[in-house]
Amino acid sequence: MNPIKPLLAGLLLAGAAAQAASPADLPYAWRAVAIGGGGFVDGIVFQPAVPGLTYARTDMGGAYRRDTATGTWQPLLDHLSLADVNLMGVESLAVDPNNPDAVYLACGTYTNPAVPNGAVLRSRDRGRTFQRTDLPFKLGGNEGGRGNGERLAVDPNDGRVLYLGSRFAGLWRSGDAAASFQRVGSFPETAWRREASDGPLPSWGGSDGKATLAFVLFDPASGTRGQPSRTVYVGVSVVGRPSLWVSHDAGASWQAVPGAPTQHRPMRAALAGDGRLYIAYASEPGPHRMQGGAVWRYDAPRQAWADITPERPSATLPFGYAAVSVDASDPQRLLASTAGRGAGDQLFRSTDGGATWRPLFPAARFDASAAPYVADTPVHWLYDVKINPANPDHALFTTGYGGWETLDLREADAGRPTHWRVMSSGIEDTVALALHSPTAGVPLVTALGDYSGFVHADLDRPAPGNPKPPFFGNTHDVTGADAAPEVIVRIGHPRDGGRNLGYSLDGGNTWRAPATVPDPGASDGFIAVSADGRSWVWTPRGGQPHVSRDRGDTWTPVKGLPAGTRVIADRVNPQRFHAVALFDNTLYASQDGGQSFSAKPLALPDGPVTRAAAGSNNHSNRGDDRGGQDRLYATPGREGELWLAAFHGLYRQHADQGFLRLPGVSQIHAFGFGRAAPGSDEPALYLVGTVAGQYGVFRSTDGATSWQRINDDAHQWGLILQVSGDPKVFGRVYIGTHGRGVQYGDPATGRSMAQ
């Protein structure tokens, strides 16, 4: 999952300057808008010492612990601030089998030179609090190979010892329970230095000619309690040369395992109770499409290898294998998963150590009621599968949209169907690209990366499915009409070959595609809808704005606007639209329903905005970035009144007069309106940024004269892209994050109210 990686990379350095937050001035209660999964859950780890205690990691949305009583997942990293957003991508997760309260997270989203190094977060209370160990290298939790096995592992015989396989810096060891790490000098550089025979650096990563370490695995039978395990395996993501390495003297020396396959890359490995090692191999590190793969079994005492691949990839159906899992109660019972299989991934079952296999999905029954949207998507990115060590009937597997679980796995051994249900309740791993809370009707409509967006009639229950037609792979923008809230329009990338715009005339209950679109090839951009819902102005990203006044039957080019200029509708007068080219110092206005625009100087009181003033925020010249900064807003209920949320400050224009700068605001990442407080004629304002030197989420009920911080240190969610109040309920606010889905908050005192 990676819909706006460049924006995140650009903001990582800016986030480092954000000040630490202090306790909220206005207590709020926060909950996630229920979608269920939505992103790549790329690893699951059971704590064998506590039945049911389970952890999950995601590529850009943090890590989770499963509540053993309710089955819902609890986020562990919502406390991370913008300054630490790079740590929201979890590269690997490890538990200490002898300490049920210990959990470790290897965090770092990108290896881009501009972003900070990674860190290991260590907890002694199951992830409720963490201590941090900074690393001298970067991790890539949202880069290629993120679905590989656990690179971080705790020695099951000595919990003080951890190994961490890095992407490009070799193997590292801790002897003090992750308080510090030192590079393992004995691990041969030839194991992870790329050779000329390896070919060009793959697109999924590579730095200084190094190769990624894919997993670390201890053999618990090789040691005694209190002494480090003597046998440690390390998988290296290379082809054509040794990729499986082993130490038999607790890391003092390392050797390539003789006879190991070299045709494909090792992905994940599992060690059975009888000492046999099972490894899944694939042609690519993933989660991209694969050309080939296999599953092999290694009998360590005999140093004998056996190819036990369940199904051979072919030229007409290429795929690899991503994961293999062993039943802790019976070393003969296995699960293995494919990866990058175009027809949908498959899960195979063996009860004889891999001698024979049967596919589970053809006869399986799937219940998507906990996240109905997943019924639209085949099983894909199946990069981890685990059998519960405390219950051989319970297994979970991960996907690009969350995951599934069964409680009757052994039914397959008798030739009967297995039953699977969505296991992702509590996991929210989407990226919000736009939020629309209509003036009447449903609470919220979302535009999300990787999805068709959702109409949320109940914030605490998943929506009934993706709105369609058309069916979008990404929804880039969504908005509606203030005076005609039943009209909602969204644009995105069509997944079914249809139109790239969809609209609803009944508040999101049903959807249709227009007869035409101005640019069928455009998959991105912004949409504005007049107050009465009759005029739509669509600006494809970087393209010519077009207007339709007949629900998309016809479109005409807008006159007077430069290409790529984002347009907003006046919230009262349906004939008026507004636009700004911030770095060109130009304000645009339309009085004819968006058909033509006139221009005038922007005339800010402190002079034109320069790119230097905008900071390292990755803006375009037209203010069409993904967040709420450097954008123009029209005030609800007031004709012609505008707000300019620049990255460096907030400006307000009253009824076509000049802009005034509001004091106290020095940085804006997102901005929006909500219902006015009782007795006030000013709409509530919501802002994500820095006010009076403090970064956070703020609310103003007096026209930006004063602000109150409404989030707290436990609710920061890394990077926030969107914020919007609810025009129907005073105090309610929606937060669109980069990887933690959409959050909503109400005053904890219960004083939110509809009027």
Side-chain angles (χ1 to χ4, degrees):
M1 171 181 174
N2 188 18
I4 51 172
K5 176 177 176 178
L7 173 62
L8 176 58
L11 281 171
L12 284 168
L13 290 182
Q19 297 195 16
S22 60
D25 297 311
L26 183 67
Y28 255 64
W30 296 97
R31 301 183 69 175
V33 174
I35 295 173
F40 189 16
V41 178
D42 46 11
I44 295 174
V45 175
F46 280 99
Q47 168 51 268
V50 181
L53 181 56
T54 320
Y55 297 89
R57 60 179 168 95
T58 70
D59 56 3
M60 54 194 287
Y64 294 82
R65 180 189 65 249
R66 200 170 200 184
D67 187 306
T68 55
T70 66
T72 59
W73 297 87
Q74 307 298 319
L76 302 182
L77 299 183
D78 281 1
H79 65 278
L80 291 177
S81 68
L82 176 63
D84 288 326
V85 61
N86 186 48
L87 303 184
M88 289 295 285
V90 182
E91 179 93 285
S92 190
L93 190 156
V95 299
D96 183 345
N98 297 306
N99 182 351
D101 296 327
V103 61
Y104 302 88
L105 308 177
C107 299
T109 308
Y110 297 118
T111 58
N112 185 305
V115 306
N117 287 335
V120 171
L121 304 183
R122 59 193 195 275
S123 175
R124 290 293 179 267
D125 54 13
R126 305 188 185 187
R128 294 175 179 87
T129 61
F130 285 95
Q131 293 178 294
R132 173 173 172 168
T133 301
D134 289 321
L135 299 171
F137 51 84
K138 303 179 191 301
L139 300 176
N142 194 34
E143 294 188 348
R146 57 193 182 272
N148 288 170
E150 299 307 328
R151 296 170 166 92
L152 181 67
V154 181
D155 190 329
N157 287 305
D158 186 348
R160 299 169 298 178
V161 176
L162 290 87
Y163 279 86
L164 173 60
S166 76
R167 285 179 173 262
F168 315 125
L171 183 65
W172 293 70
R173 181 185 186 275
S174 173
D176 53 14
S180 64
F181 281 85
Q182 297 78 40
R183 185 168 155 188
V184 179
S186 60
F187 191 72
E189 189 172 339
T190 55
W192 52 280
R193 187 182 66 236
R194 290 183 54 81
E195 304 290 348
S197 59
D198 294 333
L201 289 171
S203 61
W204 50 269
S207 175
D208 301 326
K210 304 300 191 296
T212 294
L213 306 191
F215 62 78
V216 175
L217 191 63
F218 289 93
D219 181 357
S222 67
T224 58
R225 185 71 179 272
Q227 297 295 322
S229 300
R230 297 190 62 78
T231 298
V232 189
Y233 294 97
V234 176
V236 184
S237 186
V238 295
V239 294
R241 58 192 177 95
S243 59
L244 183 66
W245 293 76
V246 65
S247 174
H248 293 297
D249 51 15
S253 63
W254 298 83
Q255 303 83 38
V257 176
T262 60
Q263 182 181 357
H264 299 115
R265 305 171 189 274
M267 303 289 281
R268 285 182 177 269
L271 191 62
D274 60 4
R276 290 180 170 182
L277 181 67
Y278 295 87
I279 305 178
Y281 287 88
S283 59
E284 301 292 334
H288 319 294
R289 289 289 176 90
M290 303 290 184
Q291 297 302 311
V295 179
W296 285 77
R297 183 183 66 219
Y298 177 55
D299 188 331
R302 298 190 299 115
Q303 295 191 359
W305 286 90
D307 184 347
I308 58 169
T309 305
E311 176 187 331
R312 299 287 175 191
S314 67
T316 57
L317 184 59
F319 60 90
Y321 284 87
V324 61
S325 183
V326 183
D327 187 338
S329 65
D330 185 342
Q332 295 293 304
R333 292 199 291 246
L334 315 173
L335 290 173
S337 71
T338 67
R341 193 170 182 266
D345 279 320
Q346 183 60 259
L347 189 63
F348 292 93
R349 172 71 164 174
S350 176
T351 58
D352 52 15
T356 61
W357 299 85
R358 67 160 55 95
L360 294 187
F361 291 167
R365 307 289 187 265
F366 291 89
D367 176 8
S369 58
Y373 75 93
V374 307
D376 288 328
T377 306
V379 172
H380 70 286
W381 290 16
L382 204 170
Y383 276 80
D384 197 11
V385 58
K386 292 289 169 56
I387 302 172
N388 188 339
N391 180 0
D393 279 318
H394 184 209
L396 302 92
F397 68 82
T398 68
T399 70
Y401 50 76
W404 298 83
E405 66 181 336
T406 183
L407 296 173
D408 60 3
L409 178 61
R410 287 185 295 179
E411 288 293 287
D413 305 340
R416 293 186 288 269
T418 51
H419 297 79
W420 298 83
R421 65 189 184 190
V422 172
M423 63 83 170
S424 314
S425 295
I427 294 176
E428 298 295 344
D429 190 30
T430 54
V431 173
L433 301 183
L435 305 174
H436 172 57
S437 184
T439 55
V442 299
L444 182 67
V445 184
T446 53
L448 303 175
D450 296 334
Y451 290 102
S452 204
F454 297 98
V455 178
H456 303 275
D458 185 335
L459 299 174
D460 299 321
R461 296 179 182 274
N466 289 286
K468 53 184 182 293
F471 187 17
F472 290 161
N474 283 291
T475 305
H476 294 283
D477 199 12
V478 61
T479 192
D482 271 24
E486 67 277 8
V487 179
I488 305 173
V489 185
R490 58 191 176 93
I491 58 174
H493 184 270
R495 203 168 167 186
D496 54 6
R499 306 292 187 193
N500 45 13
L501 183 148
Y503 67 96
S504 175
L505 301 178
D506 56 11
N509 289 319
T510 61
W511 293 84
R512 64 189 76 180
T516 64
V517 290
D519 185 354
S523 62
D524 198 350
F526 305 95
I527 190 73
V529 175
S530 63
D532 62 0
R534 296 180 181 273
S535 295
W536 306 346
V537 181
W538 181 22
T539 303
R541 180 175 286 271
Q544 173 66 45
H546 281 69
V547 61
S548 176
R549 296 174 64 86
D550 53 14
R551 299 173 183 166
D553 287 345
T554 60
W555 297 83
T556 57
V558 172
K559 298 177 182 178
L561 278 183
T565 305
R566 182 172 189 160
V567 175
I568 64 167
D570 194 88
R571 309 289 288 268
V572 176
N573 187 338
Q575 294 302 308
R576 300 187 68 172
F577 287 82
H578 312 276
V580 66
L582 185 62
F583 302 136
D584 291 340
N585 192 38
T586 305
L587 193 67
Y588 298 92
S590 172
Q591 301 282 356
D592 57 6
Q595 297 179 86
S596 64
F597 283 76
S598 59
K600 67 177 183 179
L602 181 56
L604 297 178
D606 43 4
V609 177
T610 65
R611 293 183 182 275
S616 57
N617 202 41
N618 227 11
H619 304 299
S620 78
N621 186 43
R622 308 298 175 192
D624 58 356
D625 53 277
R626 281 297 170 210
Q629 66 282 2
D630 288 359
R631 275 180 50 187
L632 199 62
Y633 293 82
T635 308
R638 294 182 183 175
E639 181 178 350
E641 182 173 299
L642 300 176
W643 295 74
L644 176 61
F647 181 66
H648 68 284
L650 182 64
Y651 300 83
R652 183 179 188 177
Q653 173 185 272
H654 289 276
D656 297 321
Q657 303 301 309
F659 280 94
L660 297 176
R661 182 166 182 173
L662 284 303
V665 178
S666 58
Q667 194 177 101
I668 301 176
H669 295 280
F671 182 77
F673 300 97
R675 189 174 186 89
S680 174
D681 59 357
E682 291 281 358
L685 305 177
Y686 295 93
L687 182 148
V688 179
T690 303
V691 176
Q694 181 185 58
Y695 175 81
V697 182
F698 296 88
R699 189 185 82 186
S700 175
T701 59
D702 55 13
T705 300
S706 64
W707 295 90
Q708 292 177 299
R709 182 178 175 231
I710 60 174
N711 72 319
D712 54 49
D713 289 359
H715 300 91
Q716 302 193 74
W717 310 290
L719 173 60
I720 297 172
L721 299 175
Q722 312 290 339
V723 65
S724 174
D726 192 316
K728 305 173 289 298
V729 182
F730 167 65
R732 177 164 294 169
V733 60
Y734 305 105
I735 302 289
T737 74
H738 185 273
R740 269 292 287 131
V742 180
Q743 309 288 323
Y744 78 98
D746 288 311
T749 56
R751 288 177 293 184
S752 293
M753 61 188 71
Q755 292 180 329

